[in-house]
Amino acid sequence: MTDDMNRLISAVEVNDATRLAGVEEAVWARIGERRDRARMGQVRVAAVALALMIGVVNGGLMLMAPRPEPSEMRIFTVSAGLSPLAGLDARG
């Protein structure tokens, strides 16, 4: 590949050398864009990892937190067994 590039560059006439004036700058600009995209990818991975870690820690803390005592209002829930159909063992 390098030999082909050298051959192609040497084949350019002196009058056509002006066409190659901005090639190096364009190549370095594209390299810079690729590096920026790679950095952004790393930042995204780090952000996702941080969010996952925060979620796991928060979930672990919620499991260790004391559970609230049942409310006195639980007698009005459907699962209280106070339905008129509870004695018939019918479930709705």
Side-chain angles (χ1 to χ4, degrees):
M1 176 106 178
T2 306
D3 295 333
D4 294 338
M5 298 260 314
N6 289 334
R7 183 177 51 80
L8 289 171
I9 290 173
S10 64
V12 174
E13 296 180 21
V14 178
N15 297 337
D16 291 339
T18 56
R19 291 188 313 169
L20 298 176
V23 172
E24 184 176 0
E25 291 83 15
V27 168
W28 284 113
R30 288 188 67 188
I31 289 172
E33 289 173 9
R34 284 190 175 200
R35 285 183 183 163
D36 291 342
R37 273 191 256 135
R39 282 190 200 118
M40 286 305 296
Q42 291 172 347
V43 169
R44 286 184 185 129
V45 168
V48 168
L50 181 64
L52 180 63
M53 185 181 70
I54 289 171
V56 167
V57 168
N58 190 24
L61 291 175
M62 291 298 289
L63 285 176
M64 293 182 349
R67 297 192 183 212
E69 293 294 323
S71 170
E72 293 178 1
M73 300 298 285
R74 72 180 179 268
I75 61 170
F76 296 111
T77 63
V78 175
S79 61
L82 300 176
S83 168
L85 299 178
L88 299 176
D89 201 29
R91 297 186 183 164

